[in-house]
């Protein structure tokens, strides 16, 4: 990378694990990290072809590893495999998540509970477990960074996705706890909180409420995956080394804390 020390985003020699990177924000984050010189582990759950496509696009610095990170055993197998193959994890991006309709006024109590459990298993517990496991390697090798992908919903709540909003608030808080507890081991944590971004996850809501959504955004456009991946790259890079416990809002000005 042609950058001097004052401006460098260089991640040469770093190993980066990105959960949920077969498409959307995770895939773009993988592309950017690899462009900055990192080796990237593209985790995914079911989309083999999409994950292989991202690996092909990036080339030799990318590896795809299938694992349902909501399963505590599978996330352990994933982290162990990465550490065994590449020595450590320098940056963990907890990105995989689920966003499913689960209204307060539904009539199926079982479905309500299933929604909360599925959402917390993936959006919160997977991130906490992956962080805990990755830190064991980070401590051995002098430190690392954990970057959590939260959401504007963490601040705003959600009318039809309350489990999702609560899970993202939990991630913001997890970030702060890691920041306070683990800096002694040179492990820092940060978070991004995107507003609506053009991806498969957001598509159904964007199709239903596009005008309403865009009208809430002073920049008058929905975000792109690059808008989020650029901020994650910055946090992962040496430019972000003194950021610890922060959450960066990436929402075009549609919500201020
Ligand atoms: P997306 O397009 O739905 O992509 C989700 C990714 O997660 C896919 O690669 C999927 O791979 C993977 N995944 C799903 N379940 C998994 C599991 N159990 N284990 C491992 N990987 C799994 O989502 P996105 O919009 O890019 O969202 C990425 C992050 O940004 C999420 O944390 C989301 O909450 C957050 N965010 C998104 C928006 C938005 O408007 N898009 C707004 C705010 C925050 P498989 O298909 O292989 O399962």
């Amino acid at each position: 990378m042609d950058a001097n020390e004052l401006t460098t985003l260089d991640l040469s020699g770093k190993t980066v694990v990105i959960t949920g990177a077969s498409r959307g924000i995770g895939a773009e984050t993988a592309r950017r990290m690899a462009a900055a010189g990192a080796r990237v582990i593209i985790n995914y759950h079911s989309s083999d072809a999409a994950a292989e496509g991202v690996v092909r696009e990036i080339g030799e610095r990318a590896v795809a590893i299938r694992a349902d990170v909501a399963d505590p055993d599978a996330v352990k197998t994933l982290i162990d495999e990465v550490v065994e193959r590449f020595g450590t994890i320098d940056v963990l991006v907890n990105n995989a998540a689920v966003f499913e309709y689960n209204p307060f006024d539904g009539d199926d109590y079982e479905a309500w509970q299933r929604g909360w459990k599925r959402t917390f298993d993936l959006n919160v517990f997977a991130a906490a477990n992956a962080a805990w496991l990755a830190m064991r390697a980070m401590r051995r090798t002098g430190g690392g960074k954990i970057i959590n992908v939260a959401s504007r919903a963490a601040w705003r709540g959600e009318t039809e996705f309350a489990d999702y909003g609560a899970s993202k608030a939990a991630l913001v808080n997890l970030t702060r706890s890691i920041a306070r507890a683990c800096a002694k081991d040179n492990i820092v944590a940060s978070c991004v909180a995107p507003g609506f971004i053009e991806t498969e996850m957001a598509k159904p809501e964007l199709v239903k409420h596009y005008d309403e959504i865009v009208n809430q955004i002073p920049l008058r456009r929905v975000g792109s995956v690059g808008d989020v991946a650029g901020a994650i790259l910055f946090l992962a890079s040496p430019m972000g080394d003194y950021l610890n416990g922060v959450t960066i809002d990436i929402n075009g000005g549609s919500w201020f804390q």
Side-chain angles (χ1 to χ4, degrees):
M1 195 180 196
D2 184 24
N4 72 38
E5 273 182 22
L6 299 178
T7 61
T8 188
L9 297 173
D10 187 14
L11 294 177
S12 299
K14 304 288 185 193
T15 297
V16 179
V17 174
I18 305 158
T19 67
S22 60
R23 62 169 188 258
I25 291 166
E28 184 60 17
T29 300
R31 291 184 195 100
R32 302 250 174 152
M33 300 282 204
R39 172 186 293 116
V40 290
I41 300 6
I42 314 278
N43 160 253
Y44 67 103
H45 179 207
S46 50
S47 306
D48 297 306
E52 285 309 325
V54 178
V55 169
R56 257 198 316 279
E57 214 186 298
I58 292 174
E60 60 182 12
R61 280 207 283 270
V63 176
I65 304 183
R66 181 180 183 142
D68 174 3
V69 293
D71 172 349
D73 293 331
V75 78
K76 182 167 187 314
T77 304
L78 165 70
I79 299 295
D80 286 350
E81 181 180 340
V82 175
V83 174
E84 197 181 312
R85 282 173 71 176
F86 304 113
T88 192
I89 294 169
D90 297 291
V91 181
L92 167 69
V93 182
N94 284 312
N95 170 75
V98 62
F99 173 67
E100 281 174 0
Y101 181 70
N102 196 9
F104 285 103
D105 53 3
D107 52 15
D108 185 342
Y109 181 44
E110 299 296 319
W112 168 258
Q113 292 174 69
R114 272 198 309 278
W116 275 82
K117 181 163 183 343
R118 202 166 37 239
T119 300
F120 268 67
D121 277 348
L122 179 55
N123 298 14
V124 183
F125 301 148
N129 291 341
W132 192 91
L133 292 160
M135 278 177 201
R136 298 192 303 183
M138 290 174 174
R139 274 186 215 107
R140 278 199 302 273
T141 52
K145 292 187 175 183
I146 294 169
I147 303 172
N148 295 315
V149 181
S151 166
R152 184 182 69 169
W155 318 126
R156 207 169 77 129
E158 284 284 343
T159 55
E160 296 170 325
F161 303 81
D163 42 14
Y164 179 84
S167 74
K168 295 302 188 177
L171 273 186
V172 169
N173 195 273
L174 171 68
T175 304
R176 294 175 182 176
S177 294
I178 295 171
R180 295 186 61 201
C182 305
K184 66 176 175 23
D185 298 318
N186 197 32
I187 297 169
V188 296
S190 57
C191 197
V192 293
F196 271 105
I197 306 296
E198 299 253 19
T199 68
E200 290 297 310
M201 178 182 281
K203 197 185 250 171
E205 288 299 296
L206 289 173
V207 167
K208 263 195 281 176
H209 306 295
Y210 189 81
D211 289 344
E212 190 191 322
I213 288 167
V214 170
N215 284 335
Q216 292 173 0
I217 305 171
L219 274 175
R220 286 290 180 270
R221 69 172 176 86
V222 170
S224 68
V225 290
D227 290 327
V228 182
I232 296 175
L233 171 59
F234 173 78
L235 289 166
S237 79
M239 303 283 285
D241 278 354
Y242 200 60
L243 295 173
N244 191 22
V246 295
T247 298
I248 299 183
D249 289 315
I250 309 168
N251 62 35
S254 61
W255 186 265
F256 305 113
Q257 298 171 57

